[in-house]
Every structure is written in structure tokens, then in C-alpha cells.
Amino acid sequence: MIIKRQTIDQASKQSVRQSKKRATAFCLSLFMLWGLFCTGCGSKESANVRAGSLKGPTSVGILFLMEKAEKGETAGGYEFRMATAADELLQLMAKGELDIALVPANAAAVLYQRTDGGVVAVDINTLGVLSFVSGSADISSVADLKGRTVYLTGKGTTPEASLKYILRQNGLTEQDCALEYKSEAAEVAAVLAENPAAVGLLPQPFATAAMLQNESLKEVLNVNEEWDRVQGEGGSAMVTGVTLVRREFLEEHEDAVKEFIREHRDSAEKVNRDTAAAAALAVQAGIVAKESIALEAIPRCSVTCVTGENMKQLLSGYLGVLSDFNPELVGGRLPGDDFYFSEQ
């Protein structure tokens, strides 16, 4: 009887062990399937984002984001590249070799037309960066430009369109104010160095550099402020830079795009809050040659991150002004509503 009881006990124990093995194997299978499922989900959310920007004010707002990405501290993966010409970024976006690009506002509209709506504007990254610089003490309003010569760059482009719009809205014609064009901002700065009484329309950081090199020069008029004055409350804004996303990438990785917008906003806010650290990063990135210039220029670069309906209002109004000047500046016609990303 004792032997029989032991045999039964052993059989019972063996059955229990087999049951445990089967249960363990089943749990391991479930665990592995769950792991594969989670890995698949994670790869979708943490899509590697290829972003490009211009070596100028439009890159300033993402300086801290680029630093975080380099240190591996971002939620998603990023590959950043910086170009000296907008055309380079537009071509890379059109070929699908970039997912996100920070480009001039009108160039964003042009690419939208060229790609049959293949890109979407997700935020405004930079407002106006133009300033009237002069050593003259007699200029305190746009009306004071009457009878003067304004030196500027960009004939047939957005600086000319913006200037003529502001002049017209202040009752001045082309006959009232002569415009003399130079091939680059450095030439305008050279004119001001020789003749401080002259008036130059310069973008940042060239405006700040000119003023630091010649103490007799100052910002006599800010184009942002003049634009806002003629637009009035609820109008558009002077827009320099827009952040674009390829529509295909947005549809496949919307969470990654929203994460980029969030981290972009955080970076832009930190740039405006910690100018000294941003200035050091701007020099490191090759955007500005000296920290002393960056320290003064960054607060004048209108770094921002405007999204949603506010973005649409400001940007669509600005593109409308450019289109009235020359439709080709925005690709022949204004973008449709699907050009503007509405983050839900």
C-alpha cells in the first residue's frame, strides 16, 4: 500500500510539472507575441525624422532641439542637415529625401504647387526679420522715407514685395522713395558704413552686425511693427519661415510630426528665454560668426512656433499680399486649405 501511494504521488507530481511547463510555454509565447506587437507599434511612433533647415534665422528656433537630438535626449530619432539655399531643401523634399524642412514662407507655397499639394505647413517658425537701418536721426515713421533712397537686396522677391506693400499702405509711391538694389546684404552694409545717413533694409543677423560695427547706425524702423500697424488687429503678419512636412510622411507618422512640433515649440521658447546659450549654439552651427552678434541678433529674429488656426490666419494673409504683388512668388496661385495643418 505504501508503494502504491508513492507511485500515485509521483504520477500526480509529474502531471503537475507537465501542466506547469505547458502553462509556462504558453505564457512565454504570449509574451513574445506581445513584444513583437509592441516593437511594431514603437517603430511607427518613433519614426526617424529627416529634417532640413537654412543657415539663418529659420534655424535658430530648433537649435536646442538639434542639441537634444545630438545627445540622444529626444523622444524620436532625428537627422538634421543645414543648407545655404532654399532650392536645395525644396529639391530634397520633392524627391522624398527630407521629411521636414524649415523654409521661406513663399518657397513653402511654391513647393505646394510644384508637388500638387504634396507638402503641408505645420507651423510658422520665424516672423519678420527685416529692419530699416540708418544713422539719420530724422526717420521715425515710414512717411519720413519720402525723398530718400533705400538700399536693399532681393529685387523681385519677398523683401521688395514687403517694402512696396508697406510704402503703399502709408501713402507713398515708387516715385516718392527710390529703391536701389544690391546683390547681397553685405553690399548694403558697406553702403551704410560709407554713408551712415543712407537707409538700408537689412535682414538679421546682417542688420545687427552692421550696427555693432558702426555705432552711428541704429534700427530706425522695424518691418514687423510697420506691417502690424497697417494690417491692424486680426490681420496677417510678416512671415519669414515656415515648417513643411511631406504629406505622405504626415499621413504615415502623424504622431512623430506632432512630437516634432512639440519639441520645436519647446526649443523656440528656450531660445527666447536663454539667449546666451542659444548664441553659443548659433555660432557652433555656423549660423552667426560671433557670439556678440548672435546675442544681439537673436532677440530680433522673431523666433516663434505658431500653429493651428492662428498659423493659417497669419500665413494666408501674408501669402495673399505676396500674390497681389506677383503671383509667381507663391507658385502662381494661393495654396488651398489643405496646405495648413490643423493639429487635433
Side-chain angles (χ1 to χ4, degrees):
M1 294 296 290
I2 296 175
I3 295 175
K4 187 177 181 180
R5 188 180 298 116
Q6 287 178 340
T7 301
I8 293 173
D9 289 343
Q10 288 174 353
S12 177
K13 288 178 180 179
Q14 184 177 359
S15 176
V16 170
R17 283 196 296 268
Q18 290 176 345
S19 298
K20 286 183 176 180
K21 286 181 180 180
R22 286 194 295 269
T24 301
F26 179 71
C27 290
L28 284 172
S29 297
L30 286 178
F31 181 77
M32 290 173 68
L33 288 171
W34 176 251
L36 288 171
F37 176 77
C38 289
T39 300
C41 292
S43 63
K44 183 177 180 181
E45 292 178 355
S46 59
N48 193 55
V49 180
R50 300 166 300 172
S53 60
L54 285 172
K55 189 172 287 187
T58 53
S59 288
V60 172
I62 58 171
L63 285 172
F64 286 106
L65 173 53
M66 289 191 291
E67 182 188 41
K68 282 179 62 179
E70 187 176 348
K71 294 179 179 178
E73 297 175 352
T74 54
Y78 295 103
E79 294 177 14
F80 286 100
R81 63 190 300 171
M82 203 174 291
T84 56
D87 284 346
E88 180 181 347
L89 296 178
L90 299 184
Q91 290 173 9
L92 291 171
M93 285 287 283
K95 292 189 295 185
E97 295 179 17
L98 280 180
D99 306 310
I100 291 178
L102 286 73
V103 299
N106 73 301
V110 170
L111 187 60
Y112 171 86
Q113 303 296 355
R114 287 181 184 173
T115 58
D116 295 323
V119 293
V120 181
V122 296
D123 69 48
I124 294 171
N125 56 61
T126 320
L127 295 174
V129 296
L130 292 171
S131 297
F132 289 96
V133 177
S134 178
S136 175
D138 301 326
I139 302 174
S140 59
S141 70
V142 174
D144 295 329
L145 296 175
K146 186 174 183 178
R148 294 178 178 271
T149 298
V150 176
Y151 298 86
L152 71 158
T153 61
K155 183 173 177 59
T157 63
T158 54
E160 179 188 13
S162 301
L163 173 57
K164 287 186 174 180
Y165 171 72
I166 289 173
L167 291 175
R168 186 170 65 248
Q169 294 299 312
N170 281 273
L172 299 181
T173 66
E174 292 184 36
Q175 288 69 40
D176 294 323
C177 183
L179 305 182
E180 185 165 329
Y181 297 91
K182 299 296 182 181
S183 60
E184 56 185 32
E187 292 184 29
V188 176
V191 170
L192 296 176
E194 293 178 5
N195 179 17
V199 181
L201 183 64
L202 284 168
Q204 294 298 341
F206 295 100
T208 295
M211 291 186 286
L212 289 177
Q213 291 167 7
N214 188 339
E215 293 183 356
S216 65
L217 297 176
K218 63 179 180 178
E219 181 186 74
V220 292
L221 295 171
N222 182 283
V223 176
N224 267 349
E225 295 174 0
E226 298 306 322
W227 187 284
D228 291 345
R229 185 173 289 114
V230 299
Q231 279 285 313
E233 186 176 352
S236 69
M238 179 81 181
V239 180
T240 296
V242 169
T243 303
L244 282 184
V245 176
R246 285 190 301 109
R247 187 177 301 277
E248 182 181 6
F249 184 83
L250 175 61
E251 291 172 351
E252 294 177 355
H253 305 287
E254 185 170 339
D255 286 345
V257 173
K258 289 181 177 179
E259 180 62 24
F260 176 88
I261 295 171
R262 187 191 67 77
E263 294 192 287
H264 178 195
R265 182 180 293 110
D266 290 345
S267 179
E269 290 175 353
K270 190 172 181 179
V271 165
N272 291 319
R273 188 172 63 246
D274 192 350
T275 306
L281 291 175
V283 173
Q284 182 180 325
I287 298 173
V288 184
K290 298 179 180 179
E291 282 192 36
S292 57
I293 296 175
L295 277 169
E296 296 292 329
I298 287 176
R300 296 186 173 102
C301 282
S302 304
V303 173
T304 189
C305 183
V306 182
T307 60
E309 286 301 313
N310 196 17
M311 171 193 66
K312 182 179 180 181
Q313 175 190 326
L314 300 182
L315 180 55
S316 62
Y318 174 69
L319 294 177
V321 170
L322 296 184
S323 181
D324 290 342
F325 176 78
N326 180 3
E328 292 306 311
L329 284 178
V330 297
R333 62 183 184 275
L334 291 172
D337 289 341
D338 64 332
F339 176 61
Y340 306 94
F341 177 59
S342 178
E343 186 175 358
Q344 300 298 329

